[in-house]
Amino acid sequence: TTEIYTLSLHDALPISVQQFYTDLSPYGTWYQVPTYGWVWQPAVVTVNPVWMPYRHGGRWLWTDCGWYWTSDYSWGWAPFHYGRWSTYPGIGWCWVPDTVWGPSWVTWRHYGGYVGWAPLPPACGWSTGVGLTWYGSGVSVSFGFGLASSCYTFVPYQNFCYRNVGHHAVGHRDAEHIYNQSTVVNNVINGNNNVIINNGVGYNNVATQVRGEVPKARVAELPAAPNSPARADRLERGKDGLVVYKPSVVEEGGKPRLRSEVRPTALASSSP
């Protein structure tokens, strides 16, 4: 049956895929491709051919982990904070899983009054003490990762913190011009407790040019038993301002699994 096939397939998957397979399956399709192995494509790609990761359905926040991409998609907690993105022939944009969390896995460019970012490709890794890597070797702050202008989203600085920031992206011809004049910025560092911080083009550079205030939030681990339901990647109002949760790792059947949401103890134990 389909159920048996799915379960046996799930058991055979590498740990980098197991943690996401069940949670993401309702929202897209898993493929096995020669270059990357198992990849996932959100269903939105099939209905919106111009969709790009880190462009549509989300916005930028400044956090204690640097620039954080908060998604409007219920599945956004995974593909925008773990793994890498790439376009694959015959499929389009797809996500290659990984188990290292980050506020956003993007590289940056800036030129004049414009800021741009692009999803980091699968050959880009992360090494504690080294930072971003390319096929295992450390990279400079100006390394371009072989990304073309079509991989970037460029917007005027004044629109950078807007909701649905992709609606303010410049057109293809302007993007190519800005790309050719722009400077790469890979400002991703290790913080306390090996937390990854993506400072990108920096806070001050944005704050001096953006319209209105820069939205800010604190990043916290998903609580074990909150007083109200909590979900990873969703903004909540805490005692000291806005907070956005990242998944926590739990053990299930002797295997680690990422937990992306939690319900209050009383609510979770009540009868349906």
Side-chain angles (χ1 to χ4, degrees):
T1 65
T2 302
E3 183 178 5
I4 293 175
Y5 173 75
T6 302
L7 289 174
S8 62
L9 178 64
H10 181 274
D11 289 341
L13 295 175
I15 189 65
S16 61
V17 177
Q18 285 183 18
Q19 297 192 20
F20 305 104
Y21 184 85
T22 301
D23 288 336
L24 295 182
S25 290
Y27 305 104
T29 303
W30 286 94
Y31 298 97
Q32 192 170 29
V33 299
T35 307
Y36 306 124
W38 286 100
V39 302
W40 178 79
Q41 183 181 70
V44 65
V45 176
T46 62
V47 297
N48 182 1
V50 299
W51 186 91
M52 283 180 59
Y54 299 103
R55 173 180 288 197
H56 298 97
R59 68 182 302 190
W60 290 107
L61 304 173
W62 179 253
T63 72
D64 46 343
C65 295
W67 291 113
Y68 180 103
W69 179 261
T70 177
S71 172
D72 297 334
Y73 301 114
S74 59
W75 45 263
W77 64 271
F80 299 123
H81 301 288
Y82 298 89
R84 308 292 183 268
W85 287 87
S86 182
T87 55
Y88 196 84
I91 298 178
W93 280 106
C94 55
W95 176 66
V96 183
D98 186 63
T99 56
V100 178
W101 182 92
S104 56
W105 291 105
V106 301
T107 182
W108 304 82
R109 284 178 177 263
H110 67 100
Y111 166 70
Y114 295 92
V115 57
W117 59 93
L120 287 166
C124 173
W126 174 263
S127 177
T128 301
V130 176
L132 294 176
T133 62
W134 184 246
Y135 289 100
S137 298
V139 301
S140 68
V141 68
S142 60
F143 187 72
F145 296 99
L147 295 168
S149 61
S150 58
C151 296
Y152 279 83
T153 297
F154 286 101
V155 300
Y157 267 104
Q158 63 189 26
N159 301 130
F160 176 68
C161 293
Y162 280 20
R163 293 182 182 275
N164 294 314
V165 64
H167 292 172
H168 304 277
V170 303
H172 174 72
R173 183 174 297 179
D174 289 335
E176 189 170 7
H177 171 73
I178 295 169
Y179 172 89
N180 290 331
Q181 304 297 320
S182 64
T183 300
V184 177
V185 180
N186 296 311
N187 191 5
V188 186
I189 63 173
N190 251 120
N192 294 332
N193 299 317
N194 289 325
V195 172
I196 295 170
I197 300 174
N198 192 336
N199 287 315
V201 292
Y203 172 82
N204 291 334
N205 202 26
V206 171
T208 57
Q209 301 186 63
V210 72
R211 286 182 178 175
E213 293 186 7
V214 176
K216 298 179 181 179
R218 175 176 58 88
V219 176
E221 291 277 351
L222 195 67
N227 296 324
S228 60
R231 189 178 70 198
D233 204 40
R234 183 174 63 188
L235 277 174
E236 306 278 358
R237 187 163 296 281
K239 295 180 180 179
D240 56 350
L242 292 175
V243 59
V244 61
Y245 294 112
K246 65 178 184 177
S248 57
V249 179
V250 296
E251 290 283 335
E252 290 185 0
K255 297 179 180 179
R257 186 180 186 279
L258 290 169
R259 183 183 59 164
S260 62
E261 61 182 346
V262 64
R263 305 174 70 194
T265 303
L267 185 61
S269 61
S270 61
S271 300

